[in-house]
Amino acid sequence: MVLIKEFRIVMPISLEEYGIAQMYMVTKMQQKNTTSTEGIEVLESRPFEDDVYGMGQYTSKVYRLQSKVPSWLTKFAPAQALVMREEAWNAYPSCKSVLKCPQFSKFQLTIETVHRADNGHSENVHGLTKEQLAARQVEYIDIAIPGKDCWSYLVGNCSIDFSKFKSERTGRGPLTKGWQDRCDPVMTAYKLVTIDAPYWGFGRRLEQTLLAGERALFLESHRHCFSWIDEWYGMNLQQIDHLMEQNKSMSDEQRPLKPARVTSIVHLNGKTPDGEGIHVKKYRP
């Protein structure tokens, strides 16, 4: 049975600000989660253009996160074999990521994201059919409520109390009950997660485990995104490029992974690419 769930994450920032904030957050979280044996390897990054998303950035990545593999899953395969391969098509404010695991060839996890300048009440932004809408579950993720499960701890939980937090540079916050209906600016990330793991005996458990992991990642990454607002607010694309270049150099030194094959990354009409993994700086011959 294919599992379909839509997560809606409301943010107290503008749609334009989110492009910078998301890239800053991804880069900083990668620094915190990269070791000599684990991390994210970018295999390829290049511009693309198609009839669905228009112009954007295609990336191919490998995720090596052995320490985060649930112990029960290692009964079916060693943790070292459970690497994830991702293909992503990023055309902010829309993007799509497809993750597969070579160890389980029938498994597929797809994340389709649409960003809107609203407070999370737009319906069917992904253009689902009646059948898909009937199967879809919807959950609102409130970034003001901290995660308390093991997945939040594993992905790097944010300890900030947003009921007391106030940005010095923007004056935004604190986030008290009902903040989503009062804040300005506001935007929402609509993330549609589709998981198919057709394996008898553990497929359903695998789907639920991965869904819990994605939820925790969405929550904690967006909590960090807002908690670091005084760090990324006012940054431009050139500063983000420099930060990512420094991060890539540090990552290359930490782990013996092959360098990414990057043809180019273009910032389209002042927009910034968005995705579920890391970004690579523009190639300069």
Side-chain angles (χ1 to χ4, degrees):
M1 179 179 177
V2 178
L3 191 155
I4 304 175
K5 188 161 187 176
E6 180 181 300
F7 294 95
R8 301 180 182 182
I9 309 107
V10 182
M11 295 290 290
I13 60 180
S14 71
L15 198 61
E16 293 73 23
E17 290 171 339
Y18 183 82
I20 293 291
Q22 194 269 349
M23 286 196 291
Y24 181 89
M25 173 270 296
V26 168
T27 302
K28 191 166 181 176
M29 288 188 71
Q30 184 202 348
Q31 292 174 348
K32 292 177 176 292
N33 289 284
T34 297
T35 68
S36 60
T37 58
E38 295 190 357
I40 303 169
E41 178 183 4
V42 181
L43 303 178
E44 182 180 5
S45 183
R46 57 174 170 78
F48 80 92
E49 183 174 2
D50 62 22
D51 295 334
V52 177
Y53 293 101
M55 297 178 65
Q57 192 72 20
Y58 167 84
T59 54
S60 174
K61 314 181 190 81
V62 175
Y63 292 80
R64 294 182 175 88
L65 305 170
Q66 299 94 314
S67 66
K68 296 176 175 57
V69 174
S71 58
W72 64 266
L73 189 55
T74 59
K75 297 178 181 178
F76 300 93
Q80 292 78 3
L82 299 176
V83 298
M84 299 290 285
R85 298 186 180 274
E86 179 196 62
E87 288 187 289
W89 296 263
N90 308 319
Y92 189 75
S94 297
C95 65
K96 177 180 179 179
S97 297
V98 177
L99 292 97
K100 297 181 180 182
C101 179
Q103 186 71 22
F104 300 107
S105 59
K106 298 179 181 179
F107 162 80
Q108 180 168 300
L109 186 155
T110 303
I111 304 172
E112 297 170 275
T113 306
V114 174
H115 301 90
R116 291 278 182 90
D118 62 26
N119 62 351
H121 294 296
S122 295
E123 292 301 326
N124 199 18
V125 299
H126 299 281
L128 302 182
T129 64
K130 290 183 179 180
E131 292 76 14
Q132 290 172 320
L133 287 172
R136 178 198 63 171
Q137 301 175 10
V138 176
E139 179 180 346
Y140 288 85
I141 293 180
D142 186 350
I143 67 167
I145 301 176
K148 298 181 180 180
D149 59 9
C150 63
W151 282 107
S152 289
Y153 172 76
L154 287 174
V155 302
N157 61 326
C158 173
S159 60
I160 298 296
D161 183 352
F162 286 125
S163 68
K164 301 176 182 178
F165 173 85
K166 186 170 184 177
S167 165
E168 293 182 2
R169 299 187 65 187
T170 68
R172 299 175 201 175
L175 303 182
T176 54
K177 186 176 181 179
W179 66 268
Q180 299 93 331
D181 297 321
R182 299 188 302 269
C183 69
D184 183 27
V186 67
M187 59 80 61
T188 301
Y190 294 83
K191 293 184 174 291
L192 185 71
V193 180
T194 304
I195 306 177
D196 187 15
Y199 291 96
W200 184 86
F202 71 96
R204 181 64 175 174
R205 187 177 182 183
L206 178 60
E207 291 173 350
Q208 294 295 334
T209 297
L210 290 170
L211 189 66
E214 290 297 334
R215 183 196 184 281
L217 180 60
F218 297 156
L219 171 62
E220 299 304 333
S221 62
H222 285 81
R223 279 175 58 81
H224 281 302
C225 192
F226 184 54
S227 70
W228 292 329
I229 187 171
D230 288 338
E231 299 178 28
W232 58 255
Y233 184 78
M235 293 185 72
N236 56 39
L237 294 176
Q238 289 71 31
Q239 291 171 314
I240 290 293
D241 277 345
H242 180 66
L243 181 66
M244 290 189 292
E245 181 180 1
Q246 289 181 319
N247 181 63
K248 183 178 182 299
S249 298
M250 292 173 58
S251 298
D252 290 344
E253 292 176 359
Q254 278 188 293
R255 47 193 168 83
L257 298 179
K258 297 179 181 179
R261 181 162 70 89
V262 182
T263 55
S264 66
I265 285 185
V266 291
H267 299 296
L268 306 170
N269 299 322
K271 297 180 181 179
T272 50
D274 174 68
E276 310 305 326
I278 68 170
H279 297 262
V280 183
K281 65 180 276 293
K282 289 183 285 187
Y283 172 75
R284 296 179 177 86

